[in-house]
Amino acid sequence: MNNIVFPKEFLWGGASSASQAEGGYDADGRGLSISDMHPYRKMEHSNDNMKIEVSSKELMEYMNNEEKYYFPKRKGVDFFNRYKEDIALFAEMGFKVYRLSIAWTRIFPLGDEEEPNESGLAFYDKVFDELEKYGIEPLVTITHYEMPIHLVKKYNGFESRQAIGDYVKFAKVIFNRYKKRVKYWIPFNELNMMLTSPYTCGGVICDASKYNGNEKQIKYQATHHQLVASALATKAAREIMPGAKIGCMIARLETYAATSKPEDQLQALKEEQINTFYPEVLIRGRYPQYMYRYFEENSINIEMSPEDSDILNNNTADFIAFSYYMTYLASADPKHIATDSGSLVGALKNPYLEMTEWDWPIDPIGLRITLNRLYDKFQVPLFIVENGLGANDDVSEDGKIHDSYRIDYLKKHIEQVGEAIKDGVEVMGYTTWGTTDFISCGTSQMSKRYGFVYVDQDNFGNGTQKRIKKDSFYWYKKVIESNGNIL
Ligand code: BG6
């Protein structure tokens, strides 16, 4: 027992995405999405990961020679057929909330059709029925790295303003269909990932041939389009579903200065600004001055339509959702300044932190710091919608999965959420990444497992897909039952 008091209505649960869990990539007329184009590549080193970007040359190669590759996200872990079994397991753990995304290409297979695909819509009716049966609240990410591939080919994803219209049409269709069943919505997963992974985040192929020596130009233009699309979705949500709660989501990159040197401190501040610029726009409704300066200094000219500032200003979000996996170090030394592209994992290593098997620094205290910082700055409720440990799990001789390392990781992070609540931070809920095991986003591996439920499947899709409860399953059930009192 501990003395942490989580609010009575605290939303405990787990999170997933359609592209990593569902599979059924061609069922009932579903089209292909950007995530269906991430082949599995055998990796020499566990940290040889997060290379999820796809160049136009690679995309052509995958499209023309599909049979040469294995695309794990197309298979997922078959949530598409096993959703009843999986949701029953979430209910057994006591989930109050389940975060899922709606596969854009199930609803609009190409993305630019006039009419939606009825069987795609019907699938989520069944999923929501099942959640309702157990009293589990859905938290829906409208799109979680799932743009139709057709829109990448047609106009390079969110680089084009046309993407706003296609996205908002999709959002309106699902709002109208599910307005009575879904209260919590997140328009985009991790908006700021546009800076590291433009293809994955917004269907933007960022080959050198596409920009004129300034990669940032294309990334920030696409960002602007996603911000406007997000505000327009918020506007539509308010009209269609009064009472709905709309979030804005970032991958939280909590950054410490590498030293007490003022230049390093300033660099940490600048990196913080780049990270919080997204909620600045979507919570406060305007671009902050520091970004205009940044654009000027980096020769970035964003094309904005005259109506954009009103759209942003009049349709702000209700809460900030974020994923939290690790913290970063900032240094003013030019050889360490983070470039906008490449690995999510920072180049500088914090000597005080242990690493996961995939070399992600583990920093539970950073979660308390981040909750306090975001709340101090924005004064809106916060929702931790991803946090978890990617690990290789083994089935022991007794047929069980003894994942004490995952329990330890989650326990330490939840403790810090409790501390932040004591500090006065308004935290709406906590959804772990993931629920069952499913395909890793960054590496397309199955062996990088995050779930409470083991799925018998390997990196090449072999296995029975049988679900086995891990030790962490029973542990999390107690955590939820005791409202965070028994960790
Ligand atoms: C988040 C994404 O950035 O990180 C998830 O929203 C992803 O989709 C998660 O799975 C963990 O990353 P990975 O690469 O280990 O799956």
Side-chain angles (χ1 to χ4, degrees):
M1 298 287 265
N2 59 47
N3 61 353
I4 298 172
V5 181
F6 284 85
K8 256 205 348 255
E9 63 289 357
F10 193 76
L11 290 166
W12 296 100
S16 67
S17 75
S19 61
Q20 293 167 262
E22 274 180 18
Y25 77 100
D26 57 356
D28 299 335
R30 181 188 178 282
L32 287 178
S33 81
I34 46 181
S35 288
D36 297 322
M37 290 294 175
H38 284 154
Y40 173 68
R41 292 168 299 120
K42 202 161 182 311
M43 277 161 285
E44 295 301 322
H45 305 289
S46 60
N47 62 356
D48 193 15
N49 64 354
M50 302 309 288
K51 293 192 179 126
I52 45 180
E53 285 307 277
V54 172
S55 66
S56 44
K57 197 167 148 222
E58 284 162 339
L59 191 58
M60 289 314 291
E61 163 67 15
Y62 302 151
M63 283 181 181
N64 296 334
N65 300 292
E66 288 195 42
E67 63 299 337
K68 270 176 43 192
Y69 299 92
Y70 172 57
F71 300 95
K73 290 173 191 150
R74 296 186 186 190
K75 180 165 184 157
V77 290
D78 201 24
F79 178 81
F80 182 69
N81 290 304
R82 294 173 184 253
Y83 65 94
K84 285 192 181 169
E85 180 187 352
D86 288 350
I87 291 172
L89 288 163
F90 308 157
E92 193 182 331
M93 275 186 280
F95 277 22
K96 312 269 183 235
V97 65
Y98 172 49
R99 176 176 174 229
L100 72 164
S101 67
I102 295 202
W104 189 339
T105 53
R106 237 179 248 300
I107 313 300
F108 287 99
L110 296 175
D112 58 0
E113 298 90 338
E114 288 295 315
E115 294 302 323
N117 173 24
E118 174 52 35
S119 24
L121 288 165
F123 169 66
Y124 295 101
D125 279 331
K126 292 188 284 178
V127 170
F128 294 137
D129 283 346
E130 212 57 24
L131 291 171
E132 223 164 271
K133 183 163 124 191
Y134 298 106
I136 301 174
E137 189 87 54
L139 163 61
V140 171
T141 317
I142 296 176
T143 183
H144 190 131
Y145 301 159
E146 286 142 1
M147 187 174 219
I149 201 74
H150 171 71
L151 301 184
V152 180
K153 290 190 272 171
K154 184 174 172 187
Y155 49 61
N156 205 27
F158 273 91
E159 185 195 357
S160 162
R161 198 169 172 100
Q162 272 181 273
I164 299 177
D166 284 323
Y167 166 86
V168 174
K169 177 186 58 185
F170 164 51
K172 283 183 178 165
V173 164
I174 59 174
F175 291 161
N176 277 309
R177 180 76 169 219
Y178 309 123
K179 62 184 168 201
K180 297 219 170 80
R181 334 196 56 179
V182 182
K183 179 175 170 195
Y184 299 100
W185 297 85
I186 295 172
F188 287 93
N189 184 59
E190 302 185 328
L191 284 154
N192 56 312
M193 281 296 108
M194 184 65 81
L195 306 180
T196 43
S197 316
Y199 168 80
T200 303
C201 190
V204 178
I205 301 255
C206 216
D207 293 349
S209 61
K210 299 256 178 200
Y211 55 86
N212 211 352
N214 188 0
E215 206 181 348
K216 287 180 179 160
Q217 169 65 37
I218 195 169
K219 291 176 176 174
Y220 279 101
Q221 184 64 61
T223 286
H224 178 70
H225 292 150
Q226 286 201 335
L227 291 169
V228 172
S230 191
L232 285 172
T234 304
K235 178 173 189 283
R238 303 239 188 280
E239 287 160 6
I240 298 168
M241 313 173 286
K245 297 279 173 213
I246 317 297
C248 82
M249 184 186 168
I250 53 169
R252 180 59 179 153
L253 314 181
E254 180 62 48
T255 304
Y256 307 141
T259 72
S260 52
K261 202 169 148 195
E263 286 80 358
D264 289 345
Q265 299 286 334
L266 181 62
Q267 185 58 31
L269 173 73
K270 286 182 180 171
E271 288 178 21
E272 168 74 2
Q273 288 178 330
I274 296 288
N275 192 226
T276 52
F277 139 68
Y278 295 82
E280 282 271 3
V281 177
L282 292 178
I283 297 288
R284 298 222 167 98
R286 48 152 185 79
Y287 273 68
Q289 176 53 36
Y290 62 75
M291 281 317 283
Y292 288 118
R293 174 175 184 175
Y294 180 84
F295 293 154
E296 202 180 313
E297 290 176 355
N298 288 279
S299 311
I300 298 165
N301 288 303
I302 299 191
E303 262 179 48
M304 298 194 190
S305 291
E307 67 273 22
D308 289 358
S309 62
D310 280 350
I311 293 172
L312 294 171
N313 197 30
N314 298 335
N315 303 290
T316 53
D318 298 306
F319 65 94
I320 298 175
F322 65 92
S323 59
Y324 177 85
Y325 291 94
M326 61 188 118
T327 48
Y328 299 79
L329 287 183
S331 158
D333 183 336
K335 70 175 185 290
H336 292 312
I337 290 187
T339 57
D340 280 344
S341 59
S343 174
L344 179 70
V345 183
L348 283 169
K349 302 273 175 256
N350 186 333
Y352 301 101
L353 301 179
E354 283 178 21
M355 303 294 220
T356 72
E357 287 172 84
W358 270 260
D359 277 348
W360 289 20
I362 303 173
D363 187 1
I365 292 175
L367 179 54
R368 174 178 176 185
I369 295 172
T370 235
L371 283 161
N372 272 278
R373 286 231 173 104
L374 287 175
Y375 193 65
D376 284 352
K377 188 162 183 176
F378 294 104
Q379 296 282 299
V380 293
L382 305 176
F383 205 142
I384 303 147
V385 295
E386 284 185 36
N387 173 234
L389 175 71
N392 268 303
D393 292 330
D394 291 318
V395 183
S396 305
E397 278 176 11
D398 59 5
K400 297 184 174 159
I401 298 95
H402 301 299
D403 57 342
S404 52
Y405 38 89
R406 180 167 294 105
I407 295 174
D408 184 59
Y409 178 100
L410 293 172
K411 173 179 159 19
K412 288 182 174 150
H413 283 80
I414 293 172
E415 270 168 4
Q416 295 302 321
V417 177
E419 294 297 333
I421 290 172
K422 281 202 229 163
D423 293 332
V425 179
E426 216 179 322
V427 188
M428 295 165 71
Y430 175 82
T431 58
T432 55
W433 191 259
T435 50
T436 64
D437 294 334
F438 39 67
I439 311 297
S440 152
C441 171
T443 64
S444 282
Q445 287 168 301
M446 185 65 212
S447 51
K448 191 179 188 191
R449 296 170 182 272
Y450 283 88
F452 299 110
V453 176
Y454 184 88
V455 176
D456 175 32
Q457 181 170 312
D458 70 13
N459 286 333
F460 295 94
N462 305 307
T464 60
Q465 295 189 322
K466 183 175 164 213
R467 275 54 174 158
I468 309 171
K469 296 170 198 169
K470 303 180 193 176
D471 287 358
S472 57
F473 178 99
Y474 302 99
W475 170 82
Y476 197 44
K477 181 174 159 61
K478 283 210 191 94
V479 172
I480 300 179
E481 245 165 36
S482 65
N483 199 24
N485 242 280
I486 300 176
L487 291 175

